């Protein structure tokens, strides 16, 4: 069975930070995005998505697979 500890990284694809993947580093280089700009403007959106993923996981686990 899938535990909450397994589900947390799945909810956001592994990382909330742009530097957590090679694609994120490429985007930072191509678009001239600094880490400070990302943290100020984008990280809250990633955090909301992270929390939404946890809530969806909990809902599915509690109500759909409770039987």
């Amino acid at each position: 069975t899938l535990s909450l500890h397994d589900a947390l990284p799945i909810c956001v694809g592994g990382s909330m930070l742009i530097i957590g993947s090679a694609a994120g580093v490429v985007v930072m280089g191509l678009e001239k995005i600094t880490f400070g700009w990302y943290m100020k403007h984008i990280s809250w959106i990633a955090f909301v998505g992270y929390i939404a993923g946890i809530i969806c996981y909990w809902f599915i686990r509690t109500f759909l697979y409770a039987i």
Side-chain angles (χ1 to χ4, degrees), residues 14-60:
S15 179
M16 288 192 305
L17 298 176
I18 196 168
I19 60 171
S21 67
V25 174
V26 170
V27 168
M28 286 179 73
L30 292 174
E31 298 296 325
K32 307 294 187 241
I33 297 172
T34 64
F35 185 72
W37 183 91
Y38 177 83
M39 289 299 291
K40 185 176 180 181
H41 294 95
I42 305 297
S43 63
W44 71 270
I45 299 169
F47 183 72
V48 169
Y50 185 74
I51 297 300
I54 292 171
I55 291 169
C56 288
Y57 171 79
W58 173 81
F59 181 81
I60 291 168

